Structures are given as structure tokens and as C-alpha cells.
Amino acid sequence: MVQRYGGTYSPKGSDDGHTPAERSPYHGKTRTRAGGRVNLLFLAPLPLAFLAFFSEPGDLILRLLGFGALIAAAWLTREGVLAHEAYDARKIARRPAIPRKIFGAALTGLGLFLAGSVDGAPLIAAGLGALGAGLHLFSFGLDPLTHKGMDDIDTFQTDRVARAVTEAEKHLRTMQQEIERTKDRHLKDRLDRFITTARDMFRTVEDDPRDLTAARKYLGVYLLGARDATTKFVDIYMRDPSGTARADYETLLDDLEANFTARTRQLLNDNRTDLDVEIEVLRERLAREGVQTD
């Protein structure tokens, strides 16, 4: 039993001697594509807002409406890129409920049309809007339009897994955001290692949704406690960086990582046991039919 900052964790079967499970393609990716070009989308409309206040009332309205549409497009695009990254990182995922990048492209076209209408040339404004929307789709692509990993699988089970993993990812993101406040590279790296281990479990459960029951406490109760403990730790650390809170928090992460690793290994071993049983049953059936197996 480990207790830190009001969070209590008591998963059994930890094994500190085990190495982490095999890394998935998602692991270690703390950088995001929602930067660079996306950030430029927020900067590009600023001249419209500046010029609007030196224009006639009609032009002022058009420029401000265009500015608002382009800022909304930038926000939708950023959220769409983040949603697409989360979709790509998971083996089982539903398509985004709102195609944010597509809506972002449409708003980009609308914003450029409004801005181009200031000079009273509707054909040129329409061409500018269409070009802007097209370039947006070319640069950022479409949103995922289909579910992933749900073919020939029990929809009810996959929905349960998708909801559980989505909620667990929210806890991990909150932990990262809290640790960012410390500006401490070592703490960020240490948390990233735990997140890598936690996501090993997520991918294992996605591979076999039947594992969700055994992993539910880890994806819910333990990560919720880890999130709360991280928030409390950062509050204490910001007031007293030289105190013992840092060592206690790192010990908590060590304990959690060991337990998550042990549970993931157990899930994998259970899956292998199920496979061995199925193979043995098949061999017995073939033997009864007179088919020889090696």
C-alpha cells in the first residue's frame, strides 16, 4: 500500500524486477503536430483586425467578420489536428464526432471571402475563399471519417474500451499539464516514462477488450488518484522546491509504474494462456477426426 498526497494505491502483484512491456508506436511522443503551421493560422488574421479600425463602417464589419471566421478556423483546425493524432495513436477508435478540420477549411474560405469582399470584387473574393479552403485541406488533410479497429468486433465491448481509454488519456494529459508548471526537465521525463508504461496497458486492452474488466481500476481509480496526487505535488513543489515532496512523488511514480507493468504482463500472459487452451482444444478435435498433428 502506497499513500501520497491524499491518493491511495494498492494494486497487487507488482514486480520491480520486470522491464517495461514492449513500446507501442505512441510511446514517447510528447510533441504534437498542432504547432508551427497551426500557430501561423492564429497570426495570419491579425492584420485584418488592425486595418478594420482604419476603414469605413461597412469595410470594418467585413474585416472583423473575416477576422472572427479565420480565428475560429484556426481553433477548429488545432483541435482537429489533436483529435486526429489521438485517433492515429489508438488501435480502436471512433471517428471524431465533429469533422473539425473540414469545418476549419470551410471557415477559412468564408473568412477570406469576407476579407476579399472589402474591395467590392465578389468573383475575386469567391476565388480567394475557394483557394484558401483548398490549400487548408491540402495542408492539414481531412478528419478521420471512419471508425478504426471495430470491424467484426463486439461494438459494445469496443465502445466500453474506447470510453475507458479516452478517460484515462484525459488523466494523463492533466498530469503532463501540471508537471509543465514546474519547468523541471527531469520531472517531465520521469512522468513521460510512467505515461509510456500506462499506454502499454491501454494498447493491450485495445487488442483484447475482454481485458478491460481486469484493467478497469488501473485506467480509472489509479490514474484518477495519480492525477490528483500530481496536482497536489506541484502545488507543494512550487512553494518549496527543496522539500521532500519531490522524492515522495517520484517514489509514487516508481510504485505505479511497477504495478502497471506487472498487470500488463499478467494480461498478456492470460491472453497467451487462452490461446494455448484454444490450440489444445483444436488439436483434440482434429485427433478425433483422425487428423494427425505435430
Side-chain angles (χ1 to χ4, degrees):
M1 175 78 70
V2 178
Q3 185 170 1
R4 296 286 189 271
Y5 311 109
T8 302
Y9 307 87
S10 56
K12 298 179 181 178
S14 64
D15 185 349
D16 295 336
H18 283 162
T19 59
E22 184 179 357
R23 305 303 190 214
S24 78
Y26 193 99
H27 295 146
K29 291 187 178 180
T30 57
R31 298 181 64 185
T32 174
R33 296 193 299 269
R37 290 177 300 166
V38 177
N39 290 334
L40 287 176
L41 295 179
F42 287 94
L43 299 176
L46 294 181
L48 280 177
F50 177 76
L51 293 174
F53 296 100
F54 299 93
S55 307
E56 297 295 328
D59 292 345
L60 181 146
I61 292 174
L62 286 175
R63 284 194 166 114
L64 288 182
L65 287 175
F67 172 78
L70 291 173
I71 290 296
W75 179 78
L76 281 171
T77 301
R78 182 184 63 188
E79 295 302 309
V81 170
L82 292 173
H84 203 152
E85 287 181 348
Y87 176 92
D88 288 340
R90 293 167 58 176
K91 295 181 179 180
I92 299 175
R94 285 189 170 277
R95 66 175 181 267
I98 300 174
R100 298 174 181 88
K101 290 195 288 183
I102 294 176
F103 284 178
L107 281 175
T108 297
L110 176 62
L112 292 175
F113 171 77
L114 292 170
S117 298
V118 170
D119 295 328
L123 289 179
I124 294 177
L128 185 63
L131 179 63
L135 288 175
H136 185 286
L137 291 175
F138 177 78
S139 298
F140 300 102
L142 298 173
D143 302 89
L145 300 177
T146 59
H147 301 318
K148 182 171 69 170
M150 294 186 175
D151 296 337
D152 301 324
I153 296 178
D154 185 344
T155 303
F156 175 73
Q157 290 280 33
T158 55
D159 282 348
R160 291 176 64 223
V161 170
R163 287 194 297 269
V165 171
T166 297
E167 193 64 25
E169 287 285 0
K170 289 180 181 177
H171 297 329
L172 295 182
R173 285 196 297 272
T174 300
M175 293 171 69
Q176 285 182 312
Q177 292 166 1
E178 290 295 325
I179 289 296
E180 285 288 340
R181 292 166 50 199
T182 67
K183 307 298 183 183
D184 187 304
R185 172 54 57 185
H186 175 76
L187 282 173
K188 294 177 187 177
D189 292 342
R190 181 63 192 88
L191 179 60
D192 285 343
R193 291 200 300 273
F194 166 67
I195 289 175
T196 293
T197 301
R199 284 175 174 155
D200 277 325
M201 179 177 289
F202 299 173
R203 305 293 85 83
T204 300
V205 173
E206 287 177 335
D207 284 340
D208 188 348
R210 295 173 300 176
D211 290 334
L212 179 60
T213 300
R216 182 173 290 281
K217 283 187 178 180
Y218 289 80
L219 273 61
V221 176
Y222 298 147
L223 282 184
L224 177 61
R227 183 202 68 184
D228 293 342
T230 300
T231 300
K232 293 178 182 179
F233 158 69
V234 172
D235 289 340
I236 295 172
Y237 181 81
M238 298 296 285
R239 293 195 299 267
D240 183 17
S242 62
T244 61
R246 180 191 182 113
D248 290 341
Y249 180 69
E250 292 192 29
T251 299
L252 172 64
L253 290 180
D254 291 341
D255 292 341
L256 284 169
E257 184 172 340
N259 282 287
F260 268 73
T261 299
R263 174 58 72 177
T264 301
R265 287 184 176 276
Q266 184 177 353
L267 294 175
L268 292 172
N269 289 336
D270 288 345
N271 293 340
R272 178 56 188 268
T273 300
D274 292 342
L275 176 62
D276 291 341
V277 170
E278 292 178 4
I279 292 174
E280 187 61 30
V281 170
L282 179 59
R283 284 178 174 173
E284 292 178 358
R285 183 174 300 172
L286 291 174
R288 287 198 300 270
E289 297 294 332
V291 179
Q292 297 295 324
T293 60
D294 294 333

